[in-house]
């Protein structure tokens, strides 16, 4: 008997997996990556959790499918920010079911806890998700199982329902008890959740799609730097620190110039490749304003292979009007 777990690396999904493995069932933990997870690399953490509970880990990249089918026209709308949680969950279950069939597994599990999150995890929302993904009856949620209708795995006796949990709500008391019982270590996942639930990230997304078609290669651009929109419509992204400069430098995206200051230390920046001359000149001024350059002198910057000259503004206040975030 084999089950597929929808796995985030979080405590609830880890505990759900452990409960099923303890009943003698093999579990493949599947992490479905939309591209909008936190900027921290969670792979090591996920592997560690799986190793501790004895599950295999598989990471599935659905970025392109996610942009095409879910993010920009969600049937069930958005949550508080740019998070299409119901449609997103339905997509994840659909993908998990696909994997279940390929792997010859018999049912799905997830770490969802009833009533833990207001929009995506209330009873109606979960039912909608199951209907949309044709997973009704297939999905067992071990953390709240006793509060829910028995699923196929319980009805067929593959899983003993009595050994599952009846957790609801936001308290983590029972989860922490279980952590002690099984001796789970380092279970706090490295910070940051889904970026689509972040207010500032959502503002950047909304600004982006007003001007351009959003593609997979743009996801990385959205994660770093100060974002500005220039008067003729060009997008400018300026690194705010060394770490962001490194991330921006490594981005491969032919929609943007890579801009560096020459002969003076400065941030790494990206500018829309189709920027007008005025926007280019303004971008030069803005980038130089984030250096120690004097407004009375001119400095060179490289735009990919081209060299451009300009001087900074006298004050950062003059940049404010163009800042998205
Ligand atoms: S929080 Fe993000 S990853 Fe989770 S369901 Fe909502 S949109 Fe999807």
């Amino acid at each position: 008997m084999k089950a597929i777990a929808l796995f985030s690396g979080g405590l609830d999904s880890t505990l759900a997996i452990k409960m099923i493995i303890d009943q003698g069932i093999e579990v493949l933990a599947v992490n479905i990556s939309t591209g909008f997870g936190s900027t921290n690399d969670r792979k090591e953490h996920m592997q560690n959790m799986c190793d501790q509970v004895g599950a295999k880990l598989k990471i599935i990249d659905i970025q392109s499918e996610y942009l095409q089918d879910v993010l920009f026209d969600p049937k069930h709308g958005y949550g508080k920010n740019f998070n299409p949680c119901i449609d997103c969950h339905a997509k994840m279950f659909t993908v998990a079911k696909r994997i279940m069939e390929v792997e010859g597994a018999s049912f799905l599990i997830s770490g969802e806890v009833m009533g833990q999150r207001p929009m995506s995890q209330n009873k109606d929302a979960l039912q909608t998700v199951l209907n949309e993904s044709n997973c009704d009856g297939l999905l067992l949620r071990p953390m709240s199982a006793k509060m829910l209708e028995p699923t196929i795995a319980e009805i067929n006796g593959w899983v003993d329902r009595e050994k599952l949990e009846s957790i609801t709500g936001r308290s983590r008391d029972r989860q922490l008890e279980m952590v002690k019982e099984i001796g789970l270590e380092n279970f706090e996942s490295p910070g940051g959740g889904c970026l689509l639930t972040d207010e500032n990230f959502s503002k950047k997304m909304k600004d982006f799609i007003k001007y351009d078609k959003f593609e997979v290669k743009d996801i990385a651009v959205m994660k770093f730097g100060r974002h500005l929109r220039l008067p003729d419509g060009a997008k400018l992204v300026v690194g705010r620190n060394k770490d962001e400069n490194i991330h921006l430098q490594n981005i491969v995206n032919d929609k943007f110039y890579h801009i560096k200051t020459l002969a003076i230390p400065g941030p790494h920046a990206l500018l829309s490749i189709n920027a007008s001359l005025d926007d280019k000149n303004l971008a030069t001024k803005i980038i130089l304003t984030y250096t120690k350059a004097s407004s009375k002198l001119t400095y060179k910057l490289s735009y990919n292979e081209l060299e451009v000259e300009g001087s900074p503004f006298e004050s950062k206040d003059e940049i404010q009007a163009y800042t998205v975030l």
Side-chain angles (χ1 to χ4, degrees):
M1 185 59 58
K2 187 170 178 179
I4 302 295
L6 278 134
F7 183 58
S8 62
L11 179 58
D12 292 335
S13 46
T14 306
L15 294 172
I17 292 173
K18 172 74 175 149
M19 270 189 268
I20 298 307
I21 288 181
D22 282 351
Q23 297 207 21
I25 295 165
E26 184 186 341
V27 176
L28 176 66
V30 172
N31 177 262
I32 300 174
S33 167
T34 61
F36 293 95
S38 81
T39 47
N40 294 326
D41 187 2
R42 296 162 60 91
K43 190 165 174 238
E44 201 182 316
H45 174 77
M46 291 193 287
Q47 189 61 62
N48 179 15
M49 290 297 100
C50 284
D51 290 346
Q52 288 193 62
V53 296
K56 275 200 198 131
L57 173 66
K58 191 177 179 117
I59 298 174
I60 308 277
D61 180 341
I62 61 157
Q63 295 184 41
S64 165
E65 189 174 338
Y66 192 71
L67 294 188
Q68 210 177 328
D69 303 346
V70 182
L71 190 57
F72 299 113
D73 190 19
K75 192 169 154 194
H76 299 282
Y78 295 98
K80 205 168 153 223
N81 293 300
F82 210 71
N83 50 315
C85 287
I86 295 182
D87 294 73
C88 177
H89 267 144
K91 172 55 94 182
M92 289 192 183
F93 286 125
T94 306
V95 172
K97 193 177 169 200
R98 224 150 64 195
I99 297 166
M100 186 188 93
E101 284 155 7
V102 172
E103 292 281 335
S106 303
F107 65 102
L108 304 173
I109 64 169
S110 79
E112 282 162 311
V113 171
M114 294 297 303
Q116 195 177 56
R117 290 191 196 142
M119 172 178 162
S120 64
Q121 295 190 337
N122 66 44
K123 217 168 180 171
D124 290 348
L126 281 173
Q127 195 51 53
T128 308
V129 165
L130 295 178
N131 295 344
E132 300 266 316
S133 54
N134 291 322
C135 285
D136 202 11
L138 275 181
L139 175 72
L140 173 64
R141 284 156 280 177
M143 300 298 275
S144 301
K146 287 180 180 164
M147 307 299 291
L148 297 161
E149 291 295 312
T151 62
I152 292 170
E154 295 152 285
I155 294 166
N156 288 348
W158 304 333
V159 170
D160 180 354
R161 181 175 166 89
E162 286 316 303
K163 292 186 181 151
L164 304 179
E165 292 290 328
S166 54
I167 304 170
T168 56
R170 300 175 74 92
S171 158
R172 292 174 91 210
D173 293 351
R174 177 63 192 131
Q175 281 93 323
L176 295 176
E177 250 174 53
M178 293 167 81
V179 163
K180 271 200 194 138
E181 283 164 21
I182 62 176
L184 193 69
E185 289 175 351
N186 301 321
F187 57 86
E188 295 296 355
S189 24
C194 170
L195 291 168
L196 297 170
T197 61
D198 180 273
E199 194 183 340
N200 291 340
F201 190 83
S202 303
K203 278 189 194 154
K204 289 191 277 183
M205 286 296 297
K206 284 177 191 161
D207 169 76
F208 193 108
I209 58 175
K210 254 197 247 165
Y211 293 86
D212 206 346
K213 183 177 184 308
F214 193 90
E215 298 169 84
V216 169
K217 62 187 173 187
D218 300 322
I219 298 177
V221 175
M222 304 305 287
K223 292 186 178 179
F224 305 99
R226 180 179 283 105
H227 286 232
L228 303 101
R229 184 64 66 182
L230 309 187
D232 290 342
K235 180 175 186 62
L236 174 66
V237 183
V238 185
R240 287 174 292 200
N241 53 46
K242 197 175 161 199
D243 189 44
E244 288 196 336
N245 288 337
I246 294 171
H247 280 291
L248 290 174
Q249 250 162 37
N250 290 334
I251 286 174
V252 178
N253 188 330
D254 55 8
K255 285 176 171 177
F256 292 92
Y257 284 108
H258 278 271
I259 308 171
K260 289 181 201 132
T261 51
L262 300 172
I264 180 169
H268 193 87
L270 304 178
L271 177 72
S272 307
I273 203 86
N274 55 6
S276 68
L277 188 59
D278 284 351
D279 277 357
K280 265 192 207 164
N281 289 335
L282 179 57
T284 302
K285 281 183 97 54
I286 292 172
I287 295 162
L288 285 168
T289 307
Y290 287 109
T291 69
K292 295 214 164 81
S294 154
S295 59
K296 297 185 178 59
L297 300 173
T298 58
Y299 300 84
K300 280 187 180 160
L301 285 81
S302 69
Y303 277 61
N304 293 351
E305 279 79 42
L306 292 173
E307 281 192 13
V308 172
E309 264 188 1
S311 1
F313 284 117
E314 276 187 12
S315 147
K316 289 199 179 97
D317 294 347
E318 298 185 61
I319 296 171
Q320 203 52 41
Y322 312 110
T323 305
V324 177
L325 260 167

